[in-house]
Amino acid sequence: MTLLDILPSLRHAVKPRIDPTLWPYTTHVDEAARLTVGGLALTDVADEAGTPVTVFDEADFRYRAKRYRKDLPRTKVIYAAKALLTTGIARMAAEEHLGVDVGSAAELMTATAGGVDPARIVYHGPTDDLSAAAGVGRVVIDSVLDIACLARVLTAPQNVLISAADPELVRCVLREPLLHPVGLHCHLGTQLSDAQVYGDAVGRLLRAMADVRKRHGVVLSELNIGGGHAVPYCSGDPVLDVRALSLAIDDALDAACAAERFPRPTIVVEPGRALVARAAVTVHRVAAVTRGRVIVDGTTPFGARCTVTVANRHALGPAEAKSVVGRNGVEIVGDADLPCDIHPGDLIAVAGTGAYHRCSGALVAQPPLVSVCNGRLRTLVRRETVTDLMARDRG
């Protein structure tokens, strides 16, 4: 029993242990003061999988996928797999009726191995991998070189999206009998929280589609406005309101289609970070504590703006700002709000590590990625070893 149990009124004066806008959907604090995700205490996950370990909340991913489809009922939702992809996550995306956007032949192979229908795949990646992309639902064309390379390997008609940066590529695409231009594709930026940015882009790009009709006699029927949807990493960070996005898109389409007398195209969005960033936490074990620094067993940098908490117990003292660093001295989180009594053996959970955190330029073994759901744990990606790192080295 804690002081908060004895004096419940204190709960209103104490800062909450976790901010639900930052942590996975199923995150709770159990009776033993341990952080739990997916029905499992993170202490138990650490005991079974070792540390560091990245823990993926399957329920969080499915919840956000369903919310996107509900809040954007007239829009196709495609998961941007470059944020995080395994065969297991590809399978979840397929089960939630999402398409998948891939950026390489390896991502394409992973998606199809996970059961994603090739017809629901958008390929937007290097020209060198275009031969592997033939036959998927859409291929994004960025250049004349893309057109030549793709046309050379085709044996059947292929639907393509033209980069909105150069709509005149339509002229070159139309010269290839097996290439069928069906729409425009754009990327507006990253961590965008203003829905009107997307509305303005829809209006602008629909006018470009009307111009393509005028110049080339082709009516493009699809407009892919990419992703870049903002998610919070710290309390108070801006986040894109998906319902506001839906309204901004609809208003822009109504106005632009009426002005240009253009048939309403299918709108496609490609959230990646917005679907997986908050679905995962990474758990580290504290190795040492020095003045202003907490040294943990992880080494992969997550960036200075993340939220952390002690995962194995309640704090017994006031919080203070400390830097969390790996054993190699690389900062994982700067100015982390941690209890002054933190000590070796404690577990630290870092929120928001689901997107773009499994790639590193350094020769550092990646931690395992495990999925949790309804009290069960399964390994999505095993722990990388030094042997793995050296396997491709030929001196």
Side-chain angles (χ1 to χ4, degrees):
M1 179 174 291
T2 68
L3 185 59
L4 293 179
D5 296 318
I6 300 172
L7 299 173
S9 60
L10 285 179
R11 294 185 185 276
H12 301 292
V14 176
K15 182 179 179 180
R17 176 95 170 268
I18 57 171
D19 180 343
T21 66
L22 306 176
W23 294 86
Y25 182 66
T26 64
T27 305
H28 295 286
V29 179
D30 68 10
E31 294 180 353
R34 303 174 303 177
L35 210 63
T36 70
V37 176
L40 286 174
L42 293 182
T43 53
D44 293 340
V45 175
D47 288 343
E48 180 172 343
T51 56
V53 57
T54 299
V55 183
F56 186 85
D57 183 6
E58 180 177 332
D60 185 278
F61 177 83
R62 293 184 184 277
Y63 165 75
R64 297 189 192 282
K66 287 180 171 66
R67 284 298 302 269
Y68 258 87
R69 294 180 59 236
K70 178 182 178 181
D71 292 345
L72 293 164
R74 305 176 70 182
T75 300
K76 286 187 178 179
V77 182
I78 306 289
Y79 170 56
K82 61 185 176 181
L84 180 67
L85 185 64
T86 71
T87 55
I89 291 173
R91 188 173 300 110
M92 294 178 210
E95 289 169 353
E96 294 303 325
H97 309 288
L98 304 180
V100 175
D101 169 67
V102 300
S104 68
E107 287 184 1
L108 174 58
M109 183 177 296
T110 303
T112 54
V116 180
D117 183 351
R120 305 196 68 181
I121 291 177
V122 176
Y123 175 86
H124 190 189
T127 304
D128 292 346
D129 286 350
L130 277 172
S131 59
V136 302
R138 303 285 188 271
V139 175
V140 179
I141 297 295
D142 287 321
S143 67
V144 174
L145 182 60
D146 284 353
I147 296 171
C149 290
L150 182 58
R152 188 169 61 245
V153 300
L154 290 177
T155 58
Q158 174 66 59
N159 290 332
V160 298
L161 300 172
I162 308 298
S163 170
D166 189 5
E168 280 303 301
L169 286 172
V170 170
R171 184 192 305 274
C172 300
V173 168
L174 291 173
R175 294 175 185 153
E176 300 293 340
L178 292 181
L179 292 182
H180 293 176
V182 295
L184 296 183
H185 181 282
C186 72
H187 177 67
L188 299 176
T190 188
Q191 285 292 79
L192 301 176
S193 59
D194 184 357
Q196 193 54 48
V197 171
Y198 293 91
D200 293 344
V202 166
R204 183 171 62 253
L205 293 173
L206 197 131
R207 289 190 291 273
M209 295 168 76
D211 188 59
V212 167
R213 178 182 61 180
K214 179 180 178 181
R215 290 172 176 265
H216 307 292
V218 175
V219 177
L220 301 177
S221 60
E222 188 170 304
L223 178 54
N224 186 319
I225 57 175
H229 304 169
V231 303
Y233 285 96
C234 295
S235 295
D237 281 356
V239 61
L240 179 69
D241 184 327
V242 181
R243 291 180 181 175
L245 174 64
S246 180
L247 292 174
I249 290 172
D250 284 344
D251 288 347
L253 275 180
D254 290 343
C257 288
E260 301 293 339
R261 296 189 177 183
F262 197 89
R264 184 185 177 101
T266 298
I267 299 295
V268 182
V269 295
E270 295 179 345
R273 186 192 307 269
L275 289 176
V276 296
R278 289 162 287 184
V281 301
T282 299
V283 181
H284 300 271
R285 194 173 298 277
V286 175
V289 179
T290 63
R291 179 178 296 181
R293 297 204 313 169
V294 176
I295 301 170
V296 299
D297 55 4
T299 55
T300 303
F302 293 135
R305 293 197 73 256
C306 284
T307 297
V308 303
T309 190
V310 173
N312 58 304
R313 61 180 178 86
H314 277 311
L316 300 179
E320 58 186 24
K322 295 178 181 290
S323 293
V324 179
V325 300
R327 287 192 174 186
N328 62 352
V330 175
E331 185 176 81
I332 296 175
V333 180
D335 293 329
D337 193 17
L338 291 169
C340 63
D341 65 320
I342 193 166
H343 55 76
D346 276 337
L347 291 178
I348 288 179
V350 184
T353 59
Y356 304 106
H357 286 145
R358 295 202 52 83
C359 295
S360 174
L363 280 176
V364 176
Q366 296 288 326
L369 175 66
V370 301
S371 171
V372 291
C373 185
N374 295 326
R376 296 184 178 182
L377 179 149
R378 65 188 177 103
T379 300
L380 297 179
V381 180
R382 67 165 172 80
R383 186 179 300 279
E384 196 173 36
T385 66
V386 173
T387 301
D388 295 326
L389 294 175
M390 297 301 296
R392 293 172 293 178
D393 192 312
R394 294 295 180 264

